[in-house]
């Protein structure tokens, strides 16, 4: 073809992590068909949608089957009933938002990637290790990226100390995927202060907010001054089990302006142009998940997964394995034992314990030497994994 391509895609490389894991597991199981594999690798949930959600969705399906209640295109930014439900959710954290600042979407992944379209040639600060979408979507846009190393020394929570310059786009993921580390109030206040002083924008990914159990902020807007410097992206994937159902939202406060433009209006313009809304049935399910009953049910799902995290953490602690996470996060981030890379550790755990995890190197350079286990399995599989880990370490 004679078209010109986006040259930036050359620097993104192949999506390597989960396909490489799948290929190593397939090779192993072909050679050992008797092996009973336990998969603690991919961050997908396993428990079904809750009763409040499914009955709301069933009722919505029935409405769609009647001429008088059928709905076509949804409002671009979400039905009022869902915007109001999201607004009430923030009120539980003491955060007041206008519904015009909330944009319903089909997933945090889409919004995390798409929001890069609003920005010009800024330097982007990205924690390392972290959810790979932040880096890849900025590489696709040809941006300069600087990494914020998350190490054992800083408790996997990089801070802005010593960063010079201004006008950064800063990604913060708390609780973090993959380390499970969570910023406390004081730390987030330091980031908000840095962003306001340097005219920078924080993109706060709160996808794992429901897992916080230790008083850390659930929303960046719990921090004074955050409305002037932060966008927040949140999702029902990990707490309400919506990974396959798809519903999330992005908050863009009306105060955010750059280059004389309102970011809230720009995001609205972007979404209205390129996105045609989340299905009515799904939005009714999301509304139910955010209701008092739905919330209680979803916290039951979170509790179930966190029991798994506790069981895995207990074995690691007894075996003297260094790890973080597993307290306010469904992820356990452990330091690889023995010699070799995190991929070599992956192979050892696969062959000796028949457990599939995720090598830390897949989440960034600083992830090398570490390994992620997820708590999203069943109690039975997790108990079996815990027993095998007891022998393995
Ligand atoms: N943000 C983080 C930190 C994640 O780990 C994930 C999924 O693993 C997402 C966003 C994507 O969420 P969604 O399912 O809403 O696209």
């Amino acid at each position: 073809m004679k078209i010109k391509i986006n040259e930036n895609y050359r620097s993104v490389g192949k999506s390597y992590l989960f396909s490489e894991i799948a290929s190593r597991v397939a090779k192993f199981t072909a050679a050992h068909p008797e092996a009973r594999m336990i998969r603690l690798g991919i961050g997908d949930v396993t428990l079904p949608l809750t009763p409040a959600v499914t009955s709301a969705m069933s009722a919505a399906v029935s409405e769609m089957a009647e001429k008088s209640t059928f709905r076509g295109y949804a409002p671009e930014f979400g039905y009022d009933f869902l915007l109001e439900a999201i607004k009430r959710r923030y009120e539980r954290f003491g955060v007041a938002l206008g519904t015009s600042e909330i944009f319903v979407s089909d997933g945090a992944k889409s919004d995390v990637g798409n929001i890069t379209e609003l920005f010009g040639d800024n330097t982007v600060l990205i924690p390392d290790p972290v959810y790979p979408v932040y880096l890849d979507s900025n590489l696709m846009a040809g941006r300069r990226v600087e990494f914020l190393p998350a190490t054992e020394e800083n408790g996997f929570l990089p801070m802005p100390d010593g960063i010079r310059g201004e006008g950064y786009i800063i990604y913060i993921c708390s609780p973090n995927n993959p380390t499970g580390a969570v910023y406390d109030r004081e730390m987030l206040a330091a980031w908000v202060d840095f962003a306001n002083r340097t005219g920078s924008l924080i993109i706060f990914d709160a996808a794992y907010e429901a897992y916080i159990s230790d008083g850390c902020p659930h929303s960046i807007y719990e921090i004074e001054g955050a409305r002037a410097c932060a966008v927040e992206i949140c999702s029902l994937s990990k707490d309400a089990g919506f990974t396959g159902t798809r519903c999330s939202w992005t908050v863009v406060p009306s105060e955010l302006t750059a280059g004389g433009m309102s970011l809230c209006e720009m995001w609205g313009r972007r979404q209205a142009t390129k996105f045609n809304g989340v299905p009515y049935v799904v939005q009714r399910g999301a509304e139910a998940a955010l209701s008092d009953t739905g919330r209680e049910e979803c916290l039951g799902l979170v509790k179930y997964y966190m029991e798994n995290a506790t069981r895995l953490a207990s074995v690691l602690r007894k075996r003297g394995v260094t790890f973080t996470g597993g307290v306010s996060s469904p992820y356990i981030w452990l330091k690889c034992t023995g010699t070799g890379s995190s991929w070599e550790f992956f192979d050892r755990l696969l062959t000796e314990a028949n457990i599939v995890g995720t090598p830390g190197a897949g989440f960034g350079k600083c992830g090398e030497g570490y390994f992620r286990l997820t708590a999203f399995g069943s109690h039975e599989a997790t108990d079996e994994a815990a027993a095998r880990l007891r022998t393995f370490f």
Side-chain angles (χ1 to χ4, degrees):
M1 293 175 86
K2 294 190 176 164
I3 57 162
K4 292 189 179 104
I5 57 156
N6 178 348
E7 292 292 330
N8 299 321
Y9 274 67
R10 295 191 197 283
S11 50
V12 182
K14 287 219 160 62
S15 172
Y16 166 70
L17 180 60
F18 290 106
S19 49
E20 177 63 21
I21 289 175
S23 122
R24 290 189 191 210
V25 173
K27 211 163 140 195
F28 179 79
T29 47
H32 304 89
E34 75 295 345
R36 287 180 305 116
M37 306 300 300
I38 301 179
R39 290 167 203 276
L40 303 181
I42 292 177
D44 198 358
V45 296
T46 53
L47 292 174
L49 299 174
T50 69
V53 170
T54 51
S55 53
M57 288 176 77
S58 300
V61 167
S62 302
E63 284 181 64
M64 294 296 272
E66 295 292 330
K67 196 165 193 299
S68 59
T69 48
F70 167 79
R71 314 250 183 160
Y73 288 122
E76 288 147 334
F77 309 139
Y79 282 102
D80 283 342
F81 63 77
L82 181 53
L83 296 173
E84 290 292 342
I86 294 168
K87 183 175 172 222
R88 280 195 299 277
R89 169 193 178 274
Y90 277 93
E91 283 165 4
R92 292 185 195 131
F93 307 141
V95 170
L97 296 177
T99 50
S100 61
E101 299 174 313
I102 303 167
F103 299 83
V104 171
S105 180
D106 64 351
K109 186 179 196 176
S110 324
D111 286 7
V112 160
N114 293 333
I115 202 153
T116 58
E117 287 181 25
L118 303 196
F119 313 121
D121 183 22
N122 309 286
T123 300
V124 182
L125 302 182
I126 297 181
D128 174 6
V130 84
Y131 184 50
V133 179
Y134 311 156
L135 174 62
D136 288 352
S137 49
N138 278 289
L139 290 180
M140 287 170 182
R143 297 230 167 74
R144 280 185 314 280
V145 171
E146 287 177 16
F147 293 102
L148 302 166
T151 60
E152 207 174 331
E153 289 69 40
N154 61 22
F156 301 98
L157 294 167
M159 296 299 293
D161 316 323
I163 302 176
R164 285 176 221 307
E166 53 184 22
Y168 292 109
I169 306 287
I170 305 162
Y171 286 82
I172 297 181
C173 179
S174 181
N176 181 280
N177 175 13
T179 68
V182 190
Y183 281 103
D184 67 19
R185 211 161 286 273
E186 207 177 304
M187 290 166 142
L188 279 184
W191 272 114
V192 166
D193 178 55
F194 173 80
N196 279 323
R197 268 191 294 111
T198 59
S200 301
L201 177 78
I202 294 173
I203 298 175
F204 189 77
D205 186 338
Y208 297 93
E209 151 297 299
Y211 288 82
I212 294 174
S213 60
D214 55 5
C216 287
H218 291 249
S219 163
I220 188 87
Y221 303 118
E222 291 180 54
I223 309 298
E224 209 183 321
R227 281 186 60 91
C229 67
V231 161
E232 178 163 304
I233 297 175
C234 197
S235 167
L236 291 173
S237 281
K238 311 294 171 145
D239 55 349
F242 271 51
T243 52
T245 306
R246 314 302 301 146
C247 194
S248 70
W249 63 86
T250 287
V251 177
V252 190
S254 57
E255 286 95 321
L256 295 180
T257 57
M261 298 273 282
S262 151
L263 294 191
C264 184
E265 283 174 19
M266 284 175 74
W267 182 242
R269 190 74 177 83
R270 190 268 166 213
Q271 289 297 82
T273 302
K274 299 194 182 180
F275 181 60
N276 241 345
V278 173
Y280 174 67
V281 174
V282 171
Q283 291 200 44
R284 279 296 185 198
E287 178 194 28
L290 293 166
S291 68
D292 288 341
T293 311
R295 196 72 206 139
E296 222 164 276
E297 290 174 354
C298 291
L299 290 177
L301 305 182
V302 168
K303 186 162 172 263
Y304 180 95
Y305 295 133
M306 286 312 295
E307 274 169 26
N308 288 341
T310 304
R311 293 175 197 192
L312 293 171
S314 152
V315 172
L316 299 179
R317 208 168 289 120
K318 281 190 192 132
R319 285 286 178 264
V321 177
T322 305
F323 71 95
T324 182
V327 177
S328 284
S329 159
Y331 297 123
I332 289 186
W333 184 244
L334 63 91
K335 200 166 181 175
C336 300
T337 54
T339 53
S341 68
S342 56
W343 276 108
E344 285 170 281
F345 183 84
F346 171 92
D347 288 333
R348 272 204 293 127
L349 193 63
L350 178 66
T351 52
E352 292 173 26
N354 302 159
I355 293 174
V356 183
T358 313
F363 297 98
K365 244 191 205 150
C366 294
E368 185 51 275
Y370 291 87
F371 199 78
R372 191 190 77 173
L373 294 176
T374 90
F376 285 129
S378 66
H379 282 341
E380 296 71 28
T382 304
D383 284 342
E384 175 62 29
R388 293 186 199 175
L389 289 173
R390 213 169 285 132
T391 314
F392 177 82
F393 286 115

Short mmCIF file of all heavy atoms in Angstrom, two decimals, residues 107-109 131 134 173 177 205 207-208 235 237-238 246 248, ligand 1:
data_model
loop_
_atom_site.label_atom_id
_atom_site.label_comp_id
_atom_site.label_asym_id
_atom_site.label_seq_id
_atom_site.Cartn_x
_atom_site.Cartn_y
_atom_site.Cartn_z
N GLY A 107 -15.53 1.29 29.52
CA GLY A 107 -14.41 0.66 30.21
C GLY A 107 -13.32 1.66 30.50
O GLY A 107 -13.10 2.61 29.73
N ALA A 108 -12.65 1.45 31.62
CA ALA A 108 -11.55 2.33 31.99
C ALA A 108 -10.41 2.23 30.98
O ALA A 108 -9.71 3.20 30.71
CB ALA A 108 -11.04 1.97 33.39
N LYS A 109 -10.27 1.04 30.38
CA LYS A 109 -9.19 0.87 29.41
C LYS A 109 -9.37 1.83 28.23
O LYS A 109 -8.43 2.51 27.81
CB LYS A 109 -9.16 -0.57 28.91
CG LYS A 109 -8.00 -0.88 28.01
CD LYS A 109 -8.06 -2.34 27.59
CE LYS A 109 -6.75 -2.81 27.01
NZ LYS A 109 -6.77 -4.24 26.69
N TYR A 131 0.00 -0.77 34.99
CA TYR A 131 -0.91 -1.20 33.94
C TYR A 131 -0.36 -0.70 32.58
O TYR A 131 -0.20 0.51 32.38
CB TYR A 131 -2.26 -0.56 34.25
CG TYR A 131 -3.41 -0.92 33.35
CD1 TYR A 131 -3.71 -2.24 33.05
CD2 TYR A 131 -4.23 0.09 32.84
CE1 TYR A 131 -4.79 -2.54 32.24
CE2 TYR A 131 -5.31 -0.21 32.04
CZ TYR A 131 -5.58 -1.53 31.74
OH TYR A 131 -6.65 -1.82 30.94
N TYR A 134 -1.15 2.72 29.89
CA TYR A 134 -0.71 4.12 29.99
C TYR A 134 0.47 4.36 29.05
O TYR A 134 0.50 5.32 28.30
CB TYR A 134 -0.26 4.51 31.40
CG TYR A 134 -1.17 4.14 32.55
CD1 TYR A 134 -0.65 4.00 33.83
CD2 TYR A 134 -2.53 3.96 32.37
CE1 TYR A 134 -1.45 3.69 34.90
CE2 TYR A 134 -3.34 3.64 33.44
CZ TYR A 134 -2.81 3.50 34.71
OH TYR A 134 -3.60 3.18 35.77
N CYS A 173 -2.04 5.29 39.69
CA CYS A 173 -2.95 4.15 39.80
C CYS A 173 -2.91 3.68 41.25
O CYS A 173 -1.89 3.18 41.71
CB CYS A 173 -2.46 3.04 38.86
SG CYS A 173 -3.46 1.56 38.89
N ASN A 177 -2.02 -1.58 40.04
CA ASN A 177 -1.84 -2.84 39.32
C ASN A 177 -0.47 -2.73 38.65
O ASN A 177 -0.28 -1.82 37.84
CB ASN A 177 -2.93 -3.00 38.26
CG ASN A 177 -2.72 -4.22 37.40
OD1 ASN A 177 -1.91 -5.09 37.72
ND2 ASN A 177 -3.44 -4.30 36.29
N ASP A 205 -6.29 6.70 38.16
CA ASP A 205 -6.99 5.46 37.82
C ASP A 205 -7.42 4.78 39.13
O ASP A 205 -6.59 4.28 39.88
CB ASP A 205 -6.06 4.55 37.00
CG ASP A 205 -6.76 3.31 36.49
OD1 ASP A 205 -7.79 2.90 37.06
OD2 ASP A 205 -6.26 2.72 35.50
N ALA A 207 -9.54 2.16 39.40
CA ALA A 207 -10.24 0.92 39.04
C ALA A 207 -10.37 -0.07 40.21
O ALA A 207 -11.30 -0.87 40.25
CB ALA A 207 -9.53 0.25 37.87
N TYR A 208 -9.42 0.00 41.17
CA TYR A 208 -9.43 -0.96 42.29
C TYR A 208 -9.86 -0.31 43.60
O TYR A 208 -9.62 -0.85 44.68
CB TYR A 208 -8.04 -1.61 42.43
CG TYR A 208 -7.68 -2.41 41.21
CD1 TYR A 208 -6.95 -1.84 40.17
CD2 TYR A 208 -8.11 -3.72 41.06
CE1 TYR A 208 -6.65 -2.56 39.02
CE2 TYR A 208 -7.81 -4.45 39.92
CZ TYR A 208 -7.08 -3.86 38.91
OH TYR A 208 -6.80 -4.58 37.78
N SER A 235 -14.13 2.24 37.27
CA SER A 235 -14.75 1.16 36.50
C SER A 235 -15.53 0.22 37.41
O SER A 235 -15.21 0.10 38.60
CB SER A 235 -13.63 0.39 35.82
OG SER A 235 -14.10 -0.82 35.30
N SER A 237 -15.59 -2.93 36.61
CA SER A 237 -15.05 -4.24 36.24
C SER A 237 -14.63 -5.09 37.43
O SER A 237 -14.98 -6.26 37.51
CB SER A 237 -13.83 -4.07 35.31
OG SER A 237 -14.26 -3.79 34.01
N LYS A 238 -13.86 -4.50 38.33
CA LYS A 238 -13.20 -5.31 39.36
C LYS A 238 -14.01 -5.46 40.63
O LYS A 238 -13.73 -6.35 41.43
CB LYS A 238 -11.82 -4.74 39.68
CG LYS A 238 -10.96 -4.43 38.47
CD LYS A 238 -10.55 -5.68 37.70
CE LYS A 238 -9.89 -5.28 36.39
NZ LYS A 238 -8.83 -6.14 35.97
N ARG A 246 -19.02 -4.43 30.77
CA ARG A 246 -18.43 -3.17 30.32
C ARG A 246 -19.19 -1.91 30.74
O ARG A 246 -20.17 -1.53 30.13
CB ARG A 246 -18.25 -3.13 28.78
CG ARG A 246 -17.64 -4.35 28.14
CD ARG A 246 -16.27 -4.70 28.66
NE ARG A 246 -15.29 -3.65 28.51
CZ ARG A 246 -14.31 -3.43 29.41
NH1 ARG A 246 -14.21 -4.17 30.51
NH2 ARG A 246 -13.45 -2.47 29.21
N SER A 248 -17.97 1.95 32.83
CA SER A 248 -17.01 2.72 33.62
C SER A 248 -17.40 4.19 33.51
O SER A 248 -18.41 4.52 32.87
CB SER A 248 -15.61 2.53 33.05
OG SER A 248 -15.52 3.18 31.80
N1 LIG B 1 -7.11 0.26 35.01
C1 LIG B 1 -6.38 -0.68 35.61
C2 LIG B 1 -5.34 -0.27 36.57
C3 LIG B 1 -6.57 -2.03 35.33
O1 LIG B 1 -5.83 -2.97 35.92
C4 LIG B 1 -7.57 -2.39 34.40
C5 LIG B 1 -7.80 -3.80 34.02
O2 LIG B 1 -7.12 -4.71 34.34
C6 LIG B 1 -8.31 -1.38 33.79
C7 LIG B 1 -8.06 -0.06 34.11
C8 LIG B 1 -9.33 -1.70 32.75
O3 LIG B 1 -10.60 -1.71 33.27
P1 LIG B 1 -11.89 -1.91 32.34
O4 LIG B 1 -12.28 -3.34 32.44
O5 LIG B 1 -12.91 -0.98 32.94
O6 LIG B 1 -11.53 -1.52 30.96
#
